[in-house]
Amino acid sequence: MLVRSAAGEPLGLGAYSPESQIRVRMWGFDPDVVIDQAFVADRITRSAARREALLAPGNDPAADSATDSAADSATDSARLVFSEADGVPGVIADRYGDTIVVQLTTAGADAWRDVVADALFSLPGVRCVYERSDADVREREGLDPRVGLMRGDEPDSALVAHEAEWSYVVDVAGGHKTGFYLDQRNARTAIARLARGRRFLNVFSYTGAFSVVAAGSGATSILSIDSSGPALEVARRNGEANALDIGELMEADAFTALRGLRDRAREYDLIALDPPKFANSERQLEKASRAYKDLNLLAVKLLAPGGTLLTWSCSGAMGAELFQKVVAGAALDAGRTVRIVDRLHQPSDHPIPLAFPEAEYLKGLVLEAE
Ligand code: SAH
C-alpha cells in the first residue's frame, strides 16, 4: 500500500499488518516502484549474493582483520536474508550448507511466502528449504505458527554447519530460532583466541558452540550451563562431532547455578554470559536491567584475577549505552576493577542499515577484571 505523510505527500510503499502494534512496515521509499513477485524475488537473490564472499570456500579463517574480533571465519553457513536490513521486513533466511531455514514474522512477509521459498530454492546448491515460522512475534502479528518443509527434500537429521575448523549440529526442526546462533560468529572467533590454558564457564550455552571452540583451542576445563535438556543433548553430540571433550554439561537455571558456584567459591579465567532476550520492549527495560545486573554481578565475582568476561545483551530494546551502565553497576557492586578491552557485535551477515538502526540488537563487551 502507498504510505502518505500527514500532508498527503507520498512517502513510499509499506505492508499493512492489521493486528500488529507496528501497523505498517516499509518495503520501499520510491512510490512509483511496483512491489510484485519479480521485485521480491530480486531482493532475496541480491540479499543472498551479498553473502557470497562470506560463504566462499577458501576464505581464510585464520586471517583476522585489523580489529581482530570482527573477523568473519570461513563457513558454509550464514544468514542470507535479514528482514528490514535486506529490504524485506519479516523475512529471515539462514543457510546451513545445502539447507535453508526460513522464518516469516510479519503479515507482509507471509503474503510473499511462495515467492520467497522459490527464490531461495533456486539458489545454487540448495537441497531443502524448511519453514520455522513459529517465533512468538507471529502471534503479535495475528499469524498462526507454521513449521515444515517448503521446497526440496526433508532436512538431514544429522545436518551440520561448518565454521572455521569446527562442525555444529543444527536441529532445524526442533532447535531455537532456525537451529543455530549464526549471530555469534565473531564471539566464536574471539573465544578461539582467548581460551588457551583457561578454565572456561559457558553460561546460557545452548548447544555448546562456545564450548566446542574453547575445547579445541586449549581450555583446561569447561562447564556449560543451560536450562534446556535438548540443547545440552545437542551440545553432547557437538563434542562427539568434533572429537573433543567439551567438559561438564549442567542442566540448570543460570541464576541458581551461578549462586551455587559463588557459594562454593569457584573461580574461572574465562566466562561467557549470553542470556536470552530479557526485554521485548522499552516497557520491560527496568526488569531486564535488573536481570542483566544480577547475572553480571555473579559472573564478575566468579572471575579469577586477570580473568575475562564476555557478556552480551541481545535485547534490541536495550541500547549499548544502557547495557554498559548496567554492567558497570555490577562490577562496582562486586568491588572489582574491570576494563572493557574489546566489543563484540553481530556479524556482517546481520547488517545494520544506517536508515534502520533498530536492526542492531546484539551488543557484547569483552571485559578484563583485575
Ligand atoms: N551462546 C549460545 C546461545 C545462547 S541462547 C550460542 O552461541 O549458541 C540463550 C540460551 O539460554 C538458550 O539455550 C536457553 O535455553 C537458555 N536459557 C534461557 N533461560 C535460561 C535460564 N534461566 N537458565 C539457563 N539457561 C537459560
Side-chain angles (χ1 to χ4, degrees), residues 176 180-181 184 188 202 204-210 225-228 231 252-255 274-276:
H176 293 177
F180 184 66
Y181 286 87
Q184 285 289 29
R188 292 185 284 274
N202 186 5
F204 304 98
S205 67
Y206 187 50
T207 56
F210 295 168
I225 301 173
D226 203 281
S227 58
S228 160
D253 167 63
F255 293 84
D274 185 19

Side-chain angles (χ1 to χ4, degrees), residues 70-81:
D72 283 318
S73 299
T75 183
D76 63 358
S77 301
R79 175 152 294 188
L80 294 186
V81 185

Side-chain angles (χ1 to χ4, degrees), residues 324-337:
Q324 186 176 320
K325 273 193 192 139
V326 168
V327 175
L332 186 71
D333 284 6
R336 299 285 292 271
T337 301

Side-chain angles (χ1 to χ4, degrees), residues 91-107:
V91 181
I92 287 171
D94 287 342
R95 178 166 192 160
Y96 306 109
D98 60 10
T99 300
I100 294 179
V101 187
V102 181
Q103 252 186 327
L104 303 172
T105 62
T106 62

